[in-house]
Amino acid sequence: AYAGVRVQIFNEQDNEVEVRVMLPDAQQNNLGALQQFPIRTANGEFVPLASVASLYNRRGIDVVRHSNNQLAATVTADVDEELNNAIAVVNDITAQRLTPILDQYDLSYGLGGQTEQDRLMLDTMALGGVLTLGLIYLILAWVFSSYLWPLAIMLAIPFGFTGAIVGHWITGWDLGAMSLLAFFSLTGIVVNDSIVLISFLRRRIDEGMELHAALLEATRARFRAVVLTSLTTVAGLSPLMFETSTLSMYVAPIAVTVCFGLTFATVLVLLVIPAMILLLEQGKQRATELSAKLSKKLMSKRNAVTSQT
């Protein structure tokens, strides 16, 4: 009655015509007619369908989706970037709200679409960050012929990140993909400021100046160069922080990251890095002195044992 039964096939010119017997459309689309549709019971009697079945309306399944050979339901949503970001929403759902649903209905879940792309991007950035820091250290160690000084220079990088996070908090922007990309640029700029200071310090030490005096002179002499390098960068990017066009969601986080991170790091470059170099050199000197004392004691004990023998 509803699916139809094929009773004949005949050819009309070049077309094959199929003849099916079924109820007319007016009755098929009438729920009342379906409720009164006669159904044969086991004892051969005919009763209305509504007597043996519960009929109700609901939205049908228009598409059947599969993922990894399993039946899947896709859930999508659009996030208002002014109120939240997709990464935070997904983290909240998976951490707090999804587990009871999975346990109740014995389901499994997976991420796809933009969420999957964000995850891949974060994994790629993590690998890129490790490679970036490793290459920066190798280059600095080769240029300055030291394994300790590059560590002092790279300590400015976390300070820049701290400034960038504070800048996002002040301006109200969330940390997103563009902010993470800007961290790589900020790393290079901050290290460049540190190199300006350390290069001058290295020349003074090579000329025979004592470390503490060389640090004071390098800080005073390169103060203007370091500050000007940072100010010109901040001044050039500041207008992008106040961008109101549709591109603001892409350019504003970059400008906030670089401007606030560089401003915060510049002050600390002039204060913390010289202090860290001084501490590292003093620690190195103390370690050398301690090693010499231990060697001297060992030699004395060895000589005493030899004399007794």
Side-chain angles (χ1 to χ4, degrees), residues 130-140:
V130 174
L131 294 177
T132 299
L133 295 177
L135 291 174
I136 289 176
Y137 177 82
L138 292 176
I139 293 173
L140 294 177

Side-chain angles (χ1 to χ4, degrees), residues 31-41 45-55:
L31 183 60
L34 179 61
Q35 292 176 340
Q36 297 300 321
F37 189 81
I39 297 296
R40 185 191 297 271
T41 62
E45 297 180 358
F46 285 90
V47 297
L49 178 60
S51 300
V52 295
S54 299
L55 307 181

Side-chain angles (χ1 to χ4, degrees), residues 6 22 31 47-48 56 65 76 86 94 101 108 122 143 163 173 181-182 185 200 221 229 267-268 294 296 301 305:
R6 188 176 64 186
M22 63 179 64
L31 183 60
V47 297
Y56 57 91
R65 292 184 172 89
T76 62
T94 54
I101 300 175
S108 60
L122 292 176
V143 171
W173 284 97
L181 289 174
S185 300
F200 187 88
T229 301
V267 178
L268 296 176
L294 291 175
K296 187 175 181 180
K301 291 182 179 180
V305 172

Side-chain angles (χ1 to χ4, degrees), residues 228-241 259 262-263:
L228 286 177
T229 301
S230 301
L231 287 180
T232 52
T233 305
V234 172
L237 292 175
S238 293
L240 296 180
M241 290 193 296
C259 291
L262 187 57
T263 301

Side-chain angles (χ1 to χ4, degrees), residues 163-194:
I165 294 173
V166 172
H168 280 76
W169 176 70
I170 293 175
T171 58
W173 284 97
D174 292 326
L175 286 172
M178 304 309 297
S179 302
L180 297 178
L181 289 174
F183 280 147
F184 288 91
S185 300
L186 177 63
T187 299
I189 299 172
V190 170
V191 170
N192 182 57
D193 277 353
S194 304

Side-chain angles (χ1 to χ4, degrees), residues 7-140:
V7 296
Q8 185 181 0
I9 298 177
F10 66 92
N11 296 322
E12 183 177 349
Q13 295 180 358
D14 295 334
N15 298 323
E16 186 179 81
V17 179
E18 183 182 84
V19 179
R20 303 183 71 88
V21 177
M22 63 179 64
L23 290 174
D25 294 341
Q27 294 187 35
Q28 287 190 8
N29 297 330
N30 188 350
L31 183 60
L34 179 61
Q35 292 176 340
Q36 297 300 321
F37 189 81
I39 297 296
R40 185 191 297 271
T41 62
N43 57 10
E45 297 180 358
F46 285 90
V47 297
L49 178 60
S51 300
V52 295
S54 299
L55 307 181
Y56 57 91
N57 294 328
R58 74 171 188 178
R59 181 178 178 180
I61 300 176
D62 52 357
V63 177
V64 178
R65 292 184 172 89
H66 289 81
S67 177
N68 296 328
N69 297 325
Q70 293 183 346
L71 188 64
T74 302
V75 180
T76 62
D78 295 326
V79 179
D80 188 348
E81 297 293 343
E82 295 182 357
L83 301 178
N84 215 323
N85 62 77
I87 297 177
V89 172
V90 171
N91 290 338
D92 177 72
I93 291 175
T94 54
Q96 302 182 16
R97 310 176 190 278
L98 195 58
T99 302
I101 300 175
L102 299 178
D103 295 340
Q104 181 178 355
Y105 298 101
D106 191 21
L107 301 174
S108 60
Y109 80 98
L111 301 177
Q114 185 62 41
T115 304
E116 179 67 14
Q117 293 179 10
D118 292 341
R119 186 188 66 81
L120 293 175
M121 181 188 65
L122 292 176
D123 293 343
T124 303
M125 285 187 177
L127 177 60
V130 174
L131 294 177
T132 299
L133 295 177
L135 291 174
I136 289 176
Y137 177 82
L138 292 176
I139 293 173
L140 294 177

